[in-house]
Amino acid sequence: MRVLVTGGAGFIGSHIVDALVARGCQTAVLDNLSSGRMENLDPRVNFYKGDLRDENFVRETLKSERPGYVIHHAAQIDVQSSVDWPAEDAAINVIGTINLLEACRSCGVKKIVYASSAAVYGNPRYLPVDEKHPLQPMSGYGISKHTVEHYLAVYRTLYNLDFTVLRYANVYGPRQDATGEGGVVAIFTDRMLRGRRVKIFGTGKQTRDFIYVGDVVNANLSALTGGGGGIFNVSTGMPTSVNELFDTLKEITGSTPEPEYCPARPGDIEHSYLDERAAASGLNWRAQTGLAAGLLETVKYCRHAANNTFNN
Ligand SMILES: NC(=O)c1ccc[n+]([C@@H]2O[C@H](COP(=O)([O-])OP(=O)(O)OC[C@H]3O[C@@H](n4cnc5c(N)ncnc54)[C@H](O)[C@@H]3O)[C@@H](O)[C@H]2O)c1
């Protein structure tokens, strides 16, 4: 199987690349390295450095690689940036994706797997949020992630380019930057390992659905061959409070400082978790990694990375 992963040098994309290479897939990566890193990349992949907004570059990459499948993760992922610079967010996430879809259609790609987000739902009206929940994004990021879902449906109808949309909850794990959507795990881990105090906004009773990156990888692998034309939440289906996250990380890291509780941030969602049952039936996929096990892997990685930085 020939697979092109956009954003394959980033946090989630690079784990997908590792899994594809391990399965013997001919794997290529398209990434502009704006947040991705070369050290995340397996040297066995064909790497194309460039920007999704560059229509010629995207077309030439697909022409030379001729993938049967594309896993699309390259994106502007920062919610606040999408509020501050909505045109740039749309240029990367919407226009950049249209460039990719046009290249896919002209190069005969069979299927595209797309990393969407819980941000498409906005403030939950009921819990758990299932795929039929009304869509009311609260940021340019949520709008741009959702807009692409419409283009995918249209390209499937018009050009027979199959797709599966995966709407991720808060993804965490090794290689995550402290600024991502699920950044709270990376930020807490980083501060705790440095012996610093962690800030919790509000009471800490607010909940999120934290999903381990290894489980997200497996959802992508299932989506390569299953779930055609479908939209699936990729989540644990379980709420975890920020206090619970803090306590579990405290136990794993051995960190001692108590958290500093700060006023809640305006616009923060109180409770959010996603119904994962559609993916169980449509993709034959379920999250397998419990919170403590996933956090343990994350802490191990961060410890190792910190030691390497210290020794260099
Ligand atoms: N991390 C999460 O919790 C989460 C949640 C929901 C959805 N997602 C989605 O998953 C995908 C991957 O997210 P991530 O957390 O791994 O982020 P990331 O920033 O680590 O990965 C994004 C990758 O895309 C590359 N990129 C960015 N703009 C580009 C451009 N214009 N052209 C080419 N490459 C570009 C970056 O260099 C990076 O390697 C994104 O599409 C994001 O919207 C992530």
Side-chain angles (χ1 to χ4, degrees), residues 6-14 30-37 40 50-53 57 72-77 91-93 96 114-119 141 145 166-172 175-177 180-183 211:
T6 74
F11 161 48
I12 303 170
S14 64
L30 180 161
D31 199 301
N32 70 354
L33 298 181
S34 54
S35 61
R37 297 194 205 123
N40 288 344
D51 202 293
L52 275 180
R53 287 167 289 186
F57 163 73
H72 181 32
H73 277 64
Q76 186 304 110
I77 67 155
I92 298 169
N93 292 0
Y114 172 61
S116 187
S117 167
Y141 173 73
K145 283 273 129 184
L166 304 176
R167 289 180 180 159
Y168 300 160
N170 292 75
V171 188
Y172 72 94
R175 299 183 191 153
Q176 185 171 31
D177 199 285
E181 265 190 270
I211 175 123

Side-chain angles (χ1 to χ4, degrees), residues 11 17 26 80 114 117 123-124 132 163 165 182 204 206-207 230 280 292 298 300:
F11 161 48
V17 167
Q26 174 72 46
Q80 191 55 47
Y114 172 61
S117 167
N123 212 338
K132 294 192 179 73
F163 73 84
V165 168
Q206 64 272 34
T207 55
T298 310
K300 270 193 214 158

